[in-house]
Amino acid sequence: MVVSGIDITIHKSARKTVSIFVERDGSVSARVPEKLEEEEIEEILKAKEYQIFKNLAEWTQLNQNAVEREYVNGQSFLYLGRNYRLRFVEDNIEGLQFIKNKFLINKEEKHRAKELFVKFYKNKLLTKIHPIIDQYKMQLGVEPKQIKIMELQNRWASCTSNGNVNFHWKCAMAPIDVLQYIVVHELAHLIHLNHTAEFWNEVDKILPNYESQMNWLKLNGAGMDL
């Protein structure tokens, strides 16, 4: 649907309110109650025109932090909130190795560098995230059915209606406290699927300072890319 010259992707679900999001790629989406007709949706979105343009302006400002990374010696890559340099070496090493605060890849595998980084982040996130989930699921009194590390395009994580929790492999680039927030956020969705006041109350009970982690993602999310 095009509103005020902006292409907005509409997602209908069993919800009561309309929420508008600027996705990480700059596209705009709206979650709306499934009972609304197209004319009603358009009227509501037009009324929210100021909010949409404000959110787009914020997205543009935040994405000034985007980083164009090249797979060359000395290029920095994020891991758990810190930047580390990449070195291509002649040593007979397998895949990507993280040794003495450096990313090492055999120079013969330079053509596979991005693939090796993705695999590294997936494996590391899997080991880091399970203890965090075990800690907070007890506090929230929930039990996710499945936990997956995967490509989620413009979302850091997702929670399905049947209780599965998915995390983007890029979460391995975030500091541990931010990773804790992402986990708590998704586990709280096992109690409240929508971003209602009750949902944020659940998050606040566990992480009273969660807004600082949210802000870190807003400020640094554009730089969490390969």
Side-chain angles (χ1 to χ4, degrees):
M1 176 180 292
V2 178
V3 177
S4 301
I6 300 172
D7 191 5
I8 303 176
T9 302
I10 306 300
H11 301 281
K12 290 189 173 184
S13 62
R15 57 185 294 136
K16 296 180 180 179
T17 59
V18 173
S19 296
I20 300 168
F21 301 90
V22 178
E23 306 291 356
R24 281 169 49 207
D25 63 355
S27 62
V28 180
S29 63
R31 275 71 158 170
V32 305
E34 55 191 1
K35 65 180 181 181
L36 289 183
E37 299 293 336
E38 187 168 331
E39 294 79 9
E40 295 175 296
I41 297 171
E42 186 174 358
E43 184 177 339
I44 291 171
L45 294 179
K46 282 182 178 178
K48 292 178 177 288
E49 180 182 282
Y50 173 79
Q51 177 190 341
I52 296 171
F53 280 104
K54 180 174 178 288
N55 291 348
L56 280 170
E58 289 177 353
W59 179 89
T60 300
Q61 183 177 6
L62 292 172
N63 274 267
Q64 292 175 354
N65 295 325
V67 177
E68 289 285 340
R69 289 188 171 88
E70 298 181 19
Y71 298 96
V72 296
N73 280 320
Q75 176 67 69
S76 63
F77 290 84
L78 273 170
Y79 175 48
L80 298 180
R82 294 183 60 187
N83 277 295
Y84 300 97
R85 302 289 181 182
L86 168 64
R87 280 188 58 200
F88 290 100
V89 297
E90 295 186 2
D91 306 33
N92 185 23
I93 60 174
E94 183 177 348
L96 184 153
Q97 300 294 324
F98 185 65
I99 301 173
K100 295 182 179 179
N101 290 336
K102 287 186 178 64
F103 290 114
L104 304 180
I105 298 177
N106 185 288
K107 66 177 185 178
E108 299 299 325
E109 295 216 278
K110 185 174 182 178
H111 64 287
R112 296 181 58 227
K114 182 174 181 177
E115 173 191 338
L116 295 177
F117 266 102
V118 172
K119 184 177 180 180
F120 172 86
Y121 287 131
K122 283 183 176 179
N123 291 338
K124 291 297 183 180
L125 184 58
L126 199 59
T127 61
K128 298 290 182 183
I129 211 162
H130 275 282
I132 298 174
I133 291 171
D134 289 342
Q135 174 187 352
Y136 290 117
K137 74 179 184 181
M138 297 292 291
Q139 295 184 43
L140 285 162
V142 297
E143 185 65 54
K145 289 186 178 179
Q146 284 187 323
I147 298 163
K148 293 181 180 179
I149 310 298
M150 58 196 300
E151 171 68 52
L152 287 174
Q153 296 184 335
N154 300 315
R155 305 179 72 180
W156 298 118
S158 65
C159 176
T160 67
S161 57
N162 60 357
N164 296 333
V165 181
N166 307 312
F167 297 93
H168 199 306
W169 53 263
K170 291 180 183 179
C171 290
M173 300 182 188
I176 288 294
D177 65 328
V178 175
L179 187 54
Q180 290 169 338
Y181 160 70
I182 295 171
V183 168
V184 170
H185 185 115
E186 295 311 318
L187 293 182
H189 275 314
L190 294 174
I191 305 171
H192 305 285
L193 269 177
N194 297 324
H195 290 101
T196 58
E198 290 82 2
F199 165 83
W200 290 113
N201 285 338
E202 289 291 344
V203 176
D204 187 68
K205 287 178 191 175
I206 307 299
L207 299 175
N209 299 315
Y210 71 87
E211 287 187 1
S212 63
Q213 283 80 49
M214 285 180 63
N215 288 335
W216 190 96
L217 280 173
K218 286 182 179 179
L219 291 171
N220 297 279
M224 294 167 65
D225 211 346
L226 290 178

